[in-house]
């Protein structure tokens, strides 16, 4: 793998009357980009997916995660090579524009922006619901709306106040959520490795579950001999979306110190870590919950199960207190995970509208940079207000169906752009089987697109038409 050592710096932007417009400073190192990739991948999904995976594939669900990682790997490697070609911000919009022209690039940017907006609104609602676990009074009414305002207002302000502050908070939230997930996985997997820790007898063929009143057990069988796979393709489709979102780290490439070197490394290393972590969490759930497929909150149920069986010799009150502490810690991990995912999206997505404004595809207002904090303040405030509007009105839910197809289309466009760009200039990043990667990635995207409903198709067509109208209006305004 050959990666260039020297970054290319983007040219300064022409000033616009009445607005402070300047290139954003390059402050993002490897670890900042890695944090954006990790938090694009790990949101709230992993806290509920183990049950759905077990319902569709039984004990074989453990092996679905590396299969999904292999499925998404060609797409991710295409993005890794694309990121090695560009030093400016914009990510997918820049890649598609360079290959197929500004109109296609605008559509890619518009669809990505809309998908991330819906995702941020949905995750904000989920974060408020998670906080309501501790404070039930926040579940409805004006207090719930106030909490929505506080959450999105705080994240918007933090992003306006500077890159370094945002990255510090993102790092702290990431450490918290990884610690909770890793702690859960280690505790659960210890049941598989050392069942004597729970004073349960082990046999040569089966590791008993914690619930000794049930005969169900985790059966570690050869890879192809699992009898309880209900619907393997559906299980793959369910889990593959736990491996998307990595592209959010590509948007602010123009603020990275050396994006062409660091982004490919961040993408590949994050995928490896996330795959291993997901497998460990699934193994822990399988070990701790014999009825995993029926659980609605698998990690919470597994945590309660583990805490209960770790306290066989203490009073009922003390055991209940320990279970409460354990489940509360897990809920805090969920809150940290969703908050980190939100903060990463709030950081990356406004940079897209800023980049499009710099290219003249959006009004220059979006390109304004805060004179003190050197952040795209107008773009950040606009995105935060839109997300608050959608989250508070609940009107985003019907758009969620379209985001699945949007993601497949966006990935497919970017992967199709790669061979076009290769013909223009040799890639600085040389990958094995490079000629096959775009073809394999496009096949994966076509498979993902083929799984969506007709409602999703029509919604996406309507959104593309709306994007075309917006593109024409922006072009008309720029020529006046």
């Amino acid at each position: 793998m050959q990666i260039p050592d020297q970054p290319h710096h983007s040219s300064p932007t022409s000033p616009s009357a009445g607005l402070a417009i300047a290139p954003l400073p390059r402050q993002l190192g490897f670890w900042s980009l890695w944090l954006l990739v990790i938090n694009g991948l790990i949101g709230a999904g992993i806290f509920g997916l183990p049950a759905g995976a077990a319902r569709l594939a039984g004990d074989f669900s453990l092996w679905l995660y590396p299969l999904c990682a292999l499925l998404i790997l060609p797409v991710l490697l295409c993005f890794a090579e694309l990121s090695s070609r560009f030093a400016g911000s914009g990510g997918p919009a820049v890649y598609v524009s360079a290959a197929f022209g500004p109109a296609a690039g605008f559509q890619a940017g518009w669809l990505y922006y809309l998908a991330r907006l819906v995702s941020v609104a949905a995750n904000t609602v989920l974060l408020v619901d998670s906080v309501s676990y501790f404070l039930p009074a926040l579940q409805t009414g004006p207090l719930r709306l106030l909490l929505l305002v506080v959450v999105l207002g705080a994240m918007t302000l933090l992003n306006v106040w500077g890159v370094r502050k945002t990255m510090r908070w993102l790092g702290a939230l990431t450490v918290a959520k990884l610690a909770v997930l890793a702690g859960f996985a280690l505790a659960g997997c210890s049941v598989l490795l050392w069942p004597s820790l729970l004073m349960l007898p082990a046999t040569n063929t089966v590791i008993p579950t914690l619930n000794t009143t049930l005969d169900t057990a985790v059966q570690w069988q050869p890879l192809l001999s699992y009898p309880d796979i209900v619907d393997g393709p559906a299980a793959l489709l369910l889990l593959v979306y736990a491996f998307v979102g990595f592209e959010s780290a590509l948007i602010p490439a123009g603020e990275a110190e050396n994006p062409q070197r660091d982004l490919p490394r961040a993408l590949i290393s994050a995928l490896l870590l996330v795959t291993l972590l997901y497998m460990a969490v699934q193994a822990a759930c399988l070990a701790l919950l014999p009825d995993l497929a029926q659980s609605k909150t698998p990690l919470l149920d597994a945590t309660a199960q583990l805490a209960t069986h770790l306290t066989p010799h203490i009073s009922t009150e003390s055991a209940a207190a320990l279970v409460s502490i354990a489940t509360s810690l897990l809920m805090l991990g969920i809150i940290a995970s969703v908050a980190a995912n939100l903060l990463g999206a709030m950081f990356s997505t406004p940079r897209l509208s800023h980049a499009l404004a710099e290219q003249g595809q959006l009004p220059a207002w979006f390109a304004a940079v805060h004179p003190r904090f050197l952040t795209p303040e107008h773009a950040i405030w606009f995105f935060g207000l839109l997300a608050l509007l959608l989250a508070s009105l609940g009107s985003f839910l019907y758009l969620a169906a379209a985001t699945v197809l949007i993601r497949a289309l966006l990935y497919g466009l970017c992967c199709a752009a790669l061979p076009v760009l290769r013909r223009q200039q040799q890639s600085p990043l040389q990958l094995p089987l490079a000629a096959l990667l775009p073809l394999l990635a496009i096949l994966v995207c076509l498979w993902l697109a083929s799984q969506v409903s007709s409602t999703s198709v029509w919604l996406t067509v309507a959104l593309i038409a709306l994007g075309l109208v917006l593109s024409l209006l922006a072009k008309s305004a720029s020529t006046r």
Side-chain angles (χ1 to χ4, degrees):
M1 182 185 297
Q2 299 174 4
I3 302 176
D5 292 326
Q6 297 300 324
H8 295 168
H9 295 280
S10 55
S11 58
T13 310
S14 299
S16 179
L19 290 174
I21 299 179
L24 299 173
R26 294 185 177 274
Q27 305 177 67
L28 301 175
F30 168 80
W31 288 110
S32 294
L33 296 172
W34 185 84
L35 286 173
L36 290 171
V37 178
I38 284 289
N39 287 293
L41 290 169
I42 305 177
I46 189 56
F47 292 90
L49 283 177
R55 190 158 47 249
L56 293 170
D59 292 347
F60 186 75
S61 57
L62 176 69
W63 305 108
L64 289 176
Y65 293 94
L67 287 177
C68 286
L70 288 175
L71 194 65
I72 208 70
L73 183 61
V75 179
L76 183 138
L77 290 177
C78 284
F79 274 88
E81 182 175 334
L82 286 166
S83 69
S84 74
R85 290 175 169 270
F86 298 90
S89 294
V94 172
Y95 310 153
V96 174
S97 181
F100 305 120
F106 182 86
Q107 282 285 359
W110 154 250
L111 291 175
Y112 176 81
Y113 190 92
L114 185 62
R116 293 307 293 166
L117 179 64
V118 173
S119 175
V120 165
N123 280 334
T124 303
V125 171
L126 178 60
L127 180 59
V128 169
D129 289 341
S130 300
V131 173
S132 300
Y133 174 86
F134 298 101
L135 301 169
L138 299 175
Q139 292 178 356
T140 57
L143 289 178
R144 179 182 177 82
L145 178 59
L146 178 62
L147 184 57
L148 284 171
V149 172
V150 169
V151 168
L152 284 171
M155 293 197 174
T156 302
L157 278 173
L158 186 59
N159 273 289
V160 170
W161 284 340
V163 171
R164 297 192 186 280
K165 289 186 178 67
T166 303
M167 288 300 119
R168 289 191 193 104
W169 275 97
L170 189 61
L173 290 170
T174 305
V175 168
K177 80 172 175 183
L178 292 181
V180 169
L181 284 170
F184 169 83
L186 288 173
C189 290
S190 66
V191 177
L192 297 174
L193 300 175
W194 302 288
S196 60
L197 291 177
L198 296 174
M199 296 175 290
L200 294 174
T203 69
N204 292 329
T205 59
V206 176
I207 296 175
T209 59
L210 289 176
N211 192 337
T212 56
T213 64
L214 297 174
D215 294 329
T216 307
V218 179
Q219 303 281 346
W220 300 112
Q221 306 176 62
L223 192 62
L224 299 178
S225 65
Y226 287 81
D228 49 355
I229 300 177
V230 177
D231 192 340
L236 273 177
L237 185 65
L238 173 70
L239 294 186
V240 75
Y241 285 101
F243 291 89
V244 301
F246 55 82
E247 71 279 2
S248 62
L250 308 176
I251 301 295
E255 295 174 72
E257 294 171 356
N258 196 336
Q260 296 157 300
R261 181 195 66 193
D262 293 338
L263 273 170
R265 293 172 178 173
L267 288 168
I268 295 168
S269 61
L271 179 65
L272 178 60
L273 173 67
V274 165
T275 303
L276 295 174
L277 183 61
Y278 284 172
M279 289 184 71
V281 169
Q282 186 72 28
C285 288
L286 287 168
L288 295 170
L289 287 181
D291 55 347
L292 173 60
Q294 281 70 51
S295 175
K296 293 183 178 179
T297 53
L299 269 69
L300 278 173
D301 293 343
T303 300
Q305 178 86 316
L306 179 62
T308 298
H309 285 270
L310 282 173
T311 57
H313 302 304
I314 64 175
S315 66
T316 303
E317 293 79 8
S318 299
L322 183 60
V323 170
S324 177
I325 292 171
T327 53
S328 295
L329 284 174
L330 187 70
M331 280 303 303
L332 289 173
I334 294 175
I335 291 171
S337 185
V338 177
N341 182 272
L342 269 177
L343 187 58
M346 292 284 291
F347 177 85
S348 296
T349 312
R351 266 74 179 173
L352 178 57
S353 52
H354 176 268
L356 290 174
E358 283 190 318
Q359 298 162 18
Q361 293 183 292
L362 282 178
W365 183 84
F366 287 97
V369 175
H370 194 285
R372 177 183 173 189
F373 302 121
L374 301 178
T375 54
E377 55 172 336
H378 289 178
I380 293 171
W381 280 113
F382 184 81
F383 185 78
L385 288 172
L386 274 184
L388 176 61
L389 181 64
L390 287 180
S392 58
L393 296 179
S395 56
F396 63 89
L397 294 177
Y398 70 94
L399 292 173
T403 60
V404 175
L405 182 55
I406 285 173
R407 184 91 66 176
L409 284 175
L410 189 68
Y411 285 178
L413 275 172
C414 291
C415 295
L418 185 55
V420 177
L421 295 173
R422 282 175 177 171
R423 289 194 292 270
Q424 297 174 6
Q425 184 181 7
Q426 183 179 2
S427 173
L429 176 62
Q430 300 298 318
L431 294 169
L433 301 176
L436 284 177
L437 286 178
L439 176 61
L440 293 174
I442 290 171
L443 289 175
V444 170
C445 296
L446 288 174
W447 175 70
L448 291 175
S450 70
Q451 306 300 311
V452 302
S453 65
S454 58
T455 301
S456 180
V457 173
W458 287 113
L459 275 172
T460 304
V461 169
L463 293 171
I464 290 173
L466 179 58
L468 180 60
V469 172
L470 292 174
S471 176
L472 292 174
L473 289 175
K475 185 176 181 181
S476 174
S478 65
T479 55
R480 289 177 186 173

